[in-house]
Amino acid sequence: MADLHLGAKFADLSYEKAQLRRSELRQSFSGCVASHCDAGIVLIAGDIFDAPDVSVSEAEFMVSVILKYPQTKFLMVCGNHDPYNSPIYEYMCGILPENAVLFTPDGDEIVFEDLKVRVWGISFQNSMAEKSLLQNIKMPDDDYVNLLLVHGDLYSDNSPYNPITVEQLVSTGADYAALGHVHKFEKINKSAGTTYAYSGTHEGHGYDECGRCGCIYGKVAKNMADVNFECTSLRTYERLDIDISGAKTIEAVKKLIEDAVTGENLYYITLTGELNEGVILNEFVLLSGIDAFDIRLKTEVCEPYKLEELACEANLKGYFVKTALSELEKAESEEDKKIINQAVRCVLDAFGEGTKGRKLKS
Amino acid sequence: MIIDKLNLERFGKFNNQRFKLQKGLNVIYGKNESGKTTLVDFVVFMLYGADKRTKTGLDKYEPRDGTKMCGSMEYTRDNEGYIVQRQNSSLADVSVKNLNRGEDVVLNTTPGADIFGFGAEAFKKTFYSGSVTSVISDDKEGSIADRLSRLSGSADGEATYAQLKKYLCSKINSYTSKRCDNPVIPTLEESLYPAQKNLEAAKQKSEQATEQKKLLPELYKQLEKLEASVKQEEKKRENLHKIQLNSEYTALSNQIEELESIINSNRYEVFSDLNERDFALMQDTGADIIENSYIASTKYETAHKITAVLTAVFFVMTAVFTGIFFARLANYVSIIIWAMLFVISGILSLAFKKLWIKNKNNYEKTTHKIAHLLGMCEISDAKDFVKLYNSWLSSGCPTRELAVKKLEELRNNFDILVNNIKTRYELSEIIHLDKSAISYDNIDRVYFDEDALKNVYSQIEQVKTQIRNIEAVSVEEYGNLYERAQRDVQNLKTQLDNANRELVVYKKALSMLEVANSDISRVFAPRVSAYASQVFYALTGGRYDTLNVNNKLSINVKDNMAFYDDTSFSTAAREQMYLALRLAAVELSAEEKLPVLLDDCFSFYDDERKQNSFEFLREFSKDRQVIYLTCHKSDVETAYANGANVIMLSD
């Protein structure tokens, strides 16, 4: 796991919702640990807390979770948001249970003889680390499974947040490298014998962290890691484009929104497509009664295309529309017609502003 | 549009030079290296700048003195005069001013792109013609063909077929191609498999957790039972300990008491005087001796009495038979027999009597001796004496001194034992322990089975761990995990369905676009062919009447006999074909009559072809501007004869 950001402010939400989300951050973490309590080792790759000076209750919560699973080893490093010299760690180190380890900025190696596992981890000393913290790190190549725990930026050479490279990860001799800093899980990577991945945050923190959030869970052996991403978030941030072409009334538009909103999540909805004549998009009407934790609406609709008129144009657009109309006549099902209509809109939108995008009316 | 003036302030070899151009045909003459191509490139520079990003290749005209290339160009468009000014090669550093209204013109991109609707490359390939190579067939980007395909009625700024195709293909690739970063469908499919595995695992965990929770009451019962058993075992151990202490206490007390009594009695004196025979007498062997003597004595007494009676009987019988013999009633044999019996029994009787007396004496002597020994120790029973003697021997105290020392030691041990008892129990409880009140089985055994107890303890630990593990697992959390995994798989499936549907939409869009493009190509190709045929007819002096361009812009030519493809013609004829095609493209690609720049296009032509060509240009340039650059004086003369404005470049 990584980037828990306990105590995050959720500034773009109302006070009550932000408070609820903060408690959900905790709940999601404890739930994630509870549902994987058979794990021998839990690795947390930094940014456990959102800031160096979050409330001590966050550290107490963390410790309470750790205490609940004495048979599981919790290994943690500090990230750029919560560097090692933060007051929150000063407090937490004093109450850290025996089954937890917080790696120092000097880099530490811990060996678990019972599991035949060696873990090397390093914490951020301060909020920035302009040079890679993985320079000249090499774990022995023996019978022990080598794990690496680090918070850093694999994607930018000039990052002020521990710029690391795949070569450096591989040269550590780690069988699995648990990475933190990037909030979005992408995929499990493997280079030489090293499997590495950003697990991403366990719970989205804003509309820039949409989609699945969770942790990586699995078994690691020598030169092999059978690990998978698991979506464990309580809520997700979603960005949805809803094509309202064909919706003749505001109720129909609302129905489309209702169908798209599938749970108590956070939605950023963009209404796209053609706005039929007579339909007035009233945000209050559209969103009232819709069951979502948070919902925001943006309209990027255009006027309906007059296909018959466009088909008369003696140019590519005209010929395209003519082709489409003929296809529509031949279409055997409503679904086929729907697909053709969408294809027409997609091309006509593209005609509007070249390949840059649609000609839109906000 | 008409280019009126070119003001080359600093551009290549030109420094503050001005050229005035007119509507119609303009011929610029200069020898090689006099700057003709530089003039054309100056027009490109004015229209598109010289930024490396535009790839105009004009940066080579930077003045050698280190200053920036700059200049201006005046042109007329829709009866209004404009001036384009550039102070350096930067793409952005350009200003266009409407000279009639004195207003700055807002540019969307570059002046060239705004006026011609083309980028620099497409402009050079359409409105600027050099040699045969830069023609439509060389239009790899397809921009000219696209432009042609939109023909009349299309709005400026609209996407071309190539752009749309590129856009749709990139969209389709973004869904499917693994060469793209994170293609939507493969990425979703890759995510779906582990998500489904997670779902399966979560389901299993959830079910297992529910099943395990059901085991809890049973485990608690088991734990209770084990704890009770341990409690009982502990109690047993405690009692055994008490019994042991009690035994130790009693034993030690007895030992002390015994030793005290030994020390206090005169046994040391007695026992030290005992010989082996004495001791044997006191032991079982002594008892045997007494017993045997007594039994033998009794036995011999009985035997003596019987034989004595028999002797008497035989004596009588002998006497009787002797009498009878003498009475002649019996023979002497009977007398002999009875006499012999009498003698034998008499002898036996005497022998038995002797043995009887001997054994009796022996018995009496031994018992007397024992009684004497017992008397010395004031013990009534010989067995007790033996016991005492044995304890004396086994006490390891052969002397009084050692016995006293031993007693001291025993007393110390006794004190330790008593203190030990006192620290753990009431002394009286141990001393007066009622063993019969302890009702456990085998309570009398002297050891306790620690291993069995340890085993029970380990069982308790195992059950506790099992309970802890089960309790640590929250059925609710596993339920949540399962629910989240279900939601995740469902979301991924929905996303995958949506992505597949979007892919279908984009593919459909692309197929319809291709159909439309094919249709329109079928329409515009004849128009290009018709116009190019007219041009080619004029350029060849009526020799060829048809120049066909197919949908893919490949060419064939027809005279009054047959069709020929372009490869069967001479270089000059092919030059004419492509010029015809180029001019058709110029004519048809934009409604506005834009200037055409021709750079020595006729150099391969013979005089007749040149004459035909300039005659055509005279007609062609009636409503537009044509700028023809040449290094041939004969061209100047022919052009001049066809009404051209001639500009001579100095060497």
Side-chain angles (χ1 to χ4, degrees):
Chain A
M1 305 181 77
D3 300 279
L4 308 180
H5 286 270
L6 297 174
K9 289 196 167 60
F10 290 100
D12 61 338
L13 295 175
S14 67
Y15 176 75
E16 291 78 16
K17 283 182 182 176
Q19 216 168 18
L20 190 55
R21 284 297 289 153
R22 271 196 293 279
S23 76
E24 283 176 353
L25 278 186
R26 290 179 171 199
Q27 208 183 323
S28 176
F29 171 69
S30 60
C32 186
V33 175
S35 53
H36 296 95
C37 61
D38 51 340
I41 297 178
V42 173
L43 301 170
I44 308 176
D47 282 359
I48 296 165
F49 304 108
D50 193 54
D53 54 353
V54 292
S55 159
V56 292
S57 67
E58 301 295 347
E60 281 163 358
F61 160 74
M62 190 74 189
V63 168
S64 73
V65 173
I66 295 171
L67 279 171
K68 220 168 156 188
Y69 306 97
Q71 73 280 14
T72 306
K73 297 160 178 73
F74 289 79
L75 309 181
M76 299 169 276
V77 293
C78 311
N80 55 306
H81 275 262
D82 55 348
Y84 192 73
N85 56 6
S86 307
I88 189 68
Y89 283 119
E90 211 177 306
Y91 176 75
M92 196 168 97
C93 283
I95 56 169
L96 211 56
E98 273 182 13
N99 59 323
V101 175
L102 181 67
F103 289 93
T104 68
D106 297 329
D108 307 304
E109 185 178 284
I110 290 174
V111 177
F112 298 105
E113 293 292 349
D114 52 338
L115 300 172
K116 282 268 174 199
V117 168
R118 178 187 294 110
V119 188
W120 193 91
I122 191 164
S123 284
F124 269 55
Q125 172 85 52
N126 301 305
S127 58
M128 284 207 269
E130 288 173 357
K131 283 184 183 166
S132 170
L133 300 175
L134 289 186
Q135 283 167 357
N136 305 321
I137 305 302
K138 177 81 188 153
M139 284 186 269
D141 185 12
D142 49 21
D143 293 342
Y144 287 76
V145 172
N146 290 330
L147 302 179
L148 178 73
L149 184 61
V150 70
H151 189 87
D153 194 340
L154 197 59
Y155 300 127
S156 167
D157 295 342
N158 302 317
S159 172
Y161 307 114
N162 184 21
I164 52 176
T165 62
V166 175
E167 290 72 31
Q168 283 171 344
L169 289 178
V170 171
S171 69
T172 59
D175 297 301
Y176 178 73
L179 306 176
H181 189 60
V182 174
H183 282 206
K184 177 91 183 146
F185 166 77
E186 278 183 0
K187 58 181 173 181
I188 310 286
N189 306 282
K190 187 163 185 181
S191 182
T194 303
T195 305
Y196 60 95
Y198 282 104
S199 66
T201 180
H202 70 309
E203 198 73 33
H205 297 88
Y207 285 104
D208 53 344
E209 291 173 13
C210 288
R212 310 161 77 217
C213 295
C215 65
I216 291 174
Y217 174 74
K219 288 178 187 166
V220 182
K222 201 78 198 155
N223 294 322
M224 201 277 288
D226 178 18
V227 291
N228 277 325
F229 173 78
E230 281 190 24
C231 177
T232 57
S233 56
L234 295 174
R235 295 183 203 280
T236 52
Y237 282 84
E238 306 283 352
R239 278 182 180 272
L240 303 176
D241 282 0
I242 300 178
D243 188 344
I244 62 162
S245 311
K248 303 263 189 298
T249 60
I250 191 163
E251 285 75 23
V253 176
K254 188 170 178 167
K255 177 81 175 49
L256 287 172
I257 297 173
E258 281 171 348
D259 289 347
V261 172
T262 51
E264 278 273 328
N265 293 322
L266 299 96
Y267 295 93
Y268 192 103
I269 293 173
T270 306
L271 298 179
T272 63
E274 296 170 14
L275 181 65
N276 277 291
E277 214 172 318
V279 178
I280 297 163
L281 299 177
N282 182 314
E283 190 170 328
F284 177 75
V285 175
L286 287 173
L287 301 184
S288 64
I290 288 184
D291 220 6
F293 185 78
D294 184 55
I295 191 160
R296 292 157 200 217
L297 197 67
K298 187 183 174 191
T299 54
E300 286 187 354
V301 290
C302 61
E303 287 170 2
Y305 290 112
K306 293 170 181 163
L307 296 185
E308 276 71 20
E309 280 179 25
L310 287 173
C312 297
E313 287 187 17
N315 54 24
L316 184 61
K317 192 195 284 177
Y319 275 80
F320 174 77
V321 174
K322 230 182 273 177
T323 310
L325 287 174
S326 137
E327 292 266 339
L328 275 172
E329 266 179 35
K330 285 187 271 177
E332 287 174 356
S333 67
E334 279 306 308
E335 179 60 15
D336 287 349
K337 281 184 187 171
K338 221 171 167 181
I339 286 170
I340 294 167
N341 276 322
Q342 281 182 347
V344 170
R345 276 195 296 276
C346 138
V347 173
L348 291 182
D349 285 348
F351 260 117
E353 281 191 359
T355 53
K356 285 180 196 164
R358 297 172 167 191
K359 191 172 185 179
L360 303 163
K361 210 167 98 175
S362 293
Chain B
M1 176 195 172
I2 305 294
I3 298 170
D4 297 316
K5 283 177 191 165
L6 298 174
N7 177 15
L8 291 83
E9 287 177 37
R10 283 192 298 279
F11 193 78
K13 64 185 287 183
F14 293 106
N15 197 357
N16 279 325
Q17 289 210 29
R18 288 165 187 271
F19 298 94
K20 206 173 171 187
L21 301 166
Q22 293 176 0
K23 188 181 174 186
L25 181 61
N26 295 269
V27 173
I28 300 175
Y29 169 76
K31 289 180 182 172
N32 286 338
E33 297 298 314
S34 60
K36 295 187 297 298
T37 307
T38 308
L39 269 183
V40 176
D41 284 343
F42 179 74
V43 173
V44 177
F45 170 59
M46 283 293 110
L47 291 171
Y48 295 102
D51 194 288
K52 280 180 184 171
R53 283 171 296 171
T54 61
K55 295 178 184 171
T56 52
L58 300 180
D59 40 344
K60 65 184 177 186
Y61 294 112
E62 289 283 6
R64 287 175 188 170
D65 60 3
T67 56
K68 297 284 176 192
M69 47 191 182
C70 59
S72 62
M73 179 177 88
E74 288 181 32
Y75 64 90
T76 306
R77 200 177 176 203
D78 296 335
N79 298 321
E80 293 202 336
Y82 294 87
I83 183 165
V84 188
Q85 287 179 304
R86 284 191 183 273
Q87 293 305 314
N88 56 46
S89 59
S90 157
L91 194 66
D93 190 10
V94 59
S95 65
V96 179
K97 200 169 187 176
N98 185 315
L99 295 171
N100 292 55
R101 284 180 273 171
E103 292 170 356
D104 286 333
V105 177
V106 179
L107 292 170
N108 291 324
T109 52
T110 59
D114 279 8
I115 297 165
F116 292 90
F118 288 162
E121 197 63 20
F123 165 79
K124 285 178 85 174
K125 284 179 179 170
T126 313
F127 294 91
Y128 167 65
S129 183
S131 64
V132 73
T133 52
S134 54
V135 287
I136 293 176
S137 60
D138 193 36
D139 179 26
K140 287 177 187 158
E141 287 177 5
S143 55
I144 300 162
D146 285 336
R147 183 73 176 162
L148 284 169
S149 73
R150 287 191 286 118
L151 297 175
S152 60
S154 61
D156 283 345
E158 271 191 358
T160 65
Y161 166 70
Q163 285 173 321
L164 287 169
K165 188 176 175 182
K166 199 174 163 189
Y167 167 68
L168 292 173
C169 285
S170 76
K171 279 282 181 191
I172 290 168
N173 284 341
S174 74
Y175 279 87
T176 56
S177 172
K178 290 205 170 179
R179 279 177 295 178
C180 294
D181 283 342
N182 302 324
V184 181
I185 292 174
T187 306
L188 283 169
E189 282 170 346
E190 270 173 31
S191 304
L192 188 59
Y193 176 66
Q196 279 171 329
K197 257 174 71 180
N198 291 344
L199 175 63
E200 206 51 49
K203 189 181 174 190
Q204 226 170 357
K205 274 184 178 178
S206 176
E207 285 170 357
Q208 269 175 7
T210 315
E211 284 301 311
Q212 280 183 337
K213 287 284 172 187
K214 287 180 190 165
L215 296 176
L216 269 181
E218 190 54 43
L219 284 169
Y220 274 120
K221 263 187 202 170
Q222 201 178 332
L223 182 66
E224 208 176 309
K225 221 169 164 183
L226 285 167
E227 280 176 342
S229 145
V230 155
K231 213 170 169 184
Q232 197 178 0
E233 284 296 307
E234 288 283 10
K235 182 78 183 163
K236 194 187 278 181
R237 180 159 68 174
E238 192 67 25
N239 285 336
L240 280 171
H241 190 227
K242 283 180 182 175
I243 289 168
Q244 196 183 339
L245 286 175
N246 173 277
S247 303
E248 280 175 27
Y249 181 88
T250 311
L252 213 49
S253 303
N254 290 342
Q255 278 180 41
I256 290 168
E257 202 178 323
E258 205 174 317
L259 206 54
E260 274 174 348
S261 85
I262 288 170
I263 291 165
N264 294 334
S265 70
N266 59 353
R267 287 171 201 166
Y268 276 101
E269 290 73 25
V270 174
F271 291 151
S272 56
D273 287 343
L274 282 178
N275 57 31
E276 276 185 23
R277 161 91 187 157
D278 294 338
F279 183 65
L281 281 175
M282 298 312 298
Q283 289 188 74
D284 289 345
T285 48
D288 287 347
I289 291 168
I290 296 167
E291 187 74 14
N292 290 342
S293 300
Y294 179 75
I295 291 168
S297 167
T298 314
K299 202 167 66 183
Y300 290 129
E301 188 183 5
T302 310
H304 164 72
K305 282 176 180 172
I306 291 168
T307 49
V309 171
L310 284 173
T311 306
V313 170
F314 292 145
F315 178 74
V316 172
M317 286 306 287
T318 304
V320 170
F321 273 92
T322 305
I324 293 168
F325 176 71
F326 284 110
R328 312 263 178 149
L329 290 174
N331 60 20
Y332 66 94
V333 177
S334 303
I335 298 168
I336 292 167
I337 291 168
W338 287 112
M340 279 176 71
L341 288 171
F342 165 72
V343 172
I344 290 165
S345 65
I347 292 165
L348 281 172
S349 177
L350 289 173
F352 285 137
K353 189 178 180 184
K354 199 174 180 183
L355 287 170
W356 167 41
I357 298 300
K358 188 186 172 188
N359 279 298
K360 191 181 171 190
N361 288 341
N362 200 13
Y363 170 71
E364 281 172 358
K365 199 177 163 188
T366 309
T367 48
H368 180 74
K369 174 72 177 175
I370 289 169
H372 172 71
L373 289 172
L374 293 177
M376 284 204 306
C377 297
E378 296 167 357
I379 289 170
S380 57
D381 188 38
K383 285 184 180 174
D384 287 345
F385 181 89
V386 173
K387 239 189 235 175
L388 190 66
Y389 179 76
N390 284 334
S391 72
W392 176 71
L393 281 180
S394 64
S395 68
C397 307
T399 63
R400 183 180 291 276
E401 289 71 31
L402 284 173
V404 171
K405 202 176 169 189
K406 171 85 176 178
L407 183 63
E408 194 71 22
E409 201 179 307
L410 286 172
R411 279 178 179 156
N412 279 340
N413 288 346
F414 184 76
D415 290 343
I416 292 168
L417 181 68
V418 167
N419 284 333
N420 186 18
I421 292 169
K422 275 183 183 171
T423 52
R424 293 190 64 176
Y425 312 100
E426 287 291 327
L427 188 58
S428 61
E429 186 192 349
I430 299 298
I431 297 169
H432 307 293
L433 187 69
D434 181 7
K435 289 184 188 176
S436 61
I438 300 167
S439 62
Y440 302 114
D441 297 338
N442 301 324
I443 198 69
D444 292 332
R445 68 190 178 199
V446 288
Y447 70 95
F448 181 78
D449 191 353
E450 285 291 342
D451 287 344
L453 186 62
K454 272 183 193 168
N455 189 28
V456 181
Y457 269 120
S458 116
Q459 280 182 42
I460 287 178
E461 206 43 55
Q462 279 174 14
V463 174
K464 275 184 177 173
T465 311
Q466 219 174 330
I467 289 172
R468 203 167 41 233
N469 287 343
I470 293 174
E471 282 186 335
V473 169
S474 156
V475 174
E476 198 188 342
E477 285 301 345
Y478 275 134
N480 289 342
L481 180 75
Y482 179 48
E483 209 175 284
R484 284 197 294 263
Q486 267 182 318
R487 199 181 59 200
D488 190 34
V489 168
Q490 194 49 49
N491 282 346
L492 283 170
K493 279 184 177 169
T494 310
Q495 282 178 38
L496 194 59
D497 288 347
N498 289 343
N500 276 316
R501 198 177 182 286
E502 281 160 20
L503 179 65
V504 170
V505 168
Y506 282 117
K507 280 185 173 172
K508 187 74 192 168
L510 182 62
S511 83
M512 290 197 300
L513 186 72
E514 277 169 349
V515 170
N517 187 54
S518 165
D519 287 349
I520 205 165
S521 296
R522 274 199 297 276
V523 173
F524 89 77
R527 292 180 64 185
V528 173
S529 297
Y531 194 86
S533 295
Q534 283 177 34
V535 177
F536 195 53
Y537 181 80
L539 293 177
T540 57
R543 187 167 171 185
Y544 299 101
D545 56 3
T546 306
L547 191 150
N548 274 330
V549 183
N550 68 13
N551 295 350
K552 290 180 180 172
L553 296 174
S554 64
I555 302 169
N556 61 51
V557 173
K558 178 179 162 289
D559 60 9
N560 50 8
M561 300 289 290
F563 281 99
Y564 311 95
D565 72 27
D566 58 336
T567 53
S568 53
F569 288 88
S570 69
T571 307
R574 287 171 68 199
E575 284 271 347
Q576 285 180 310
M577 273 177 223
Y578 288 119
L579 181 64
L581 204 53
R582 174 68 64 90
L583 293 175
V586 166
E587 184 63 26
L588 297 174
S589 64
E591 284 180 28
E592 188 179 345
K593 301 290 181 185
L594 297 168
V596 179
L597 290 94
L598 303 173
D599 192 1
D600 238 349
C601 291
F602 307 151
S603 54
F604 286 99
Y605 295 2
D606 58 26
D607 291 343
E608 189 189 337
R609 283 182 183 183
K610 276 187 184 173
Q611 181 58 38
N612 290 339
S613 300
F614 278 113
E615 277 176 18
F616 170 75
L617 285 185
R618 186 185 64 206
E619 291 303 313
F620 184 70
S621 62
K622 270 186 178 166
D623 54 358
R624 69 164 77 231
Q625 188 177 39
V626 175
I627 301 166
Y628 186 86
L629 301 109
T630 181
C631 59
H632 301 287
K633 272 195 174 164
S634 59
D635 287 357
V636 177
E637 286 161 11
T638 315
Y640 187 71
N642 282 290
N645 167 40
V646 178
I647 298 163
M648 308 290 276
L649 294 178
S650 53
D651 293 343

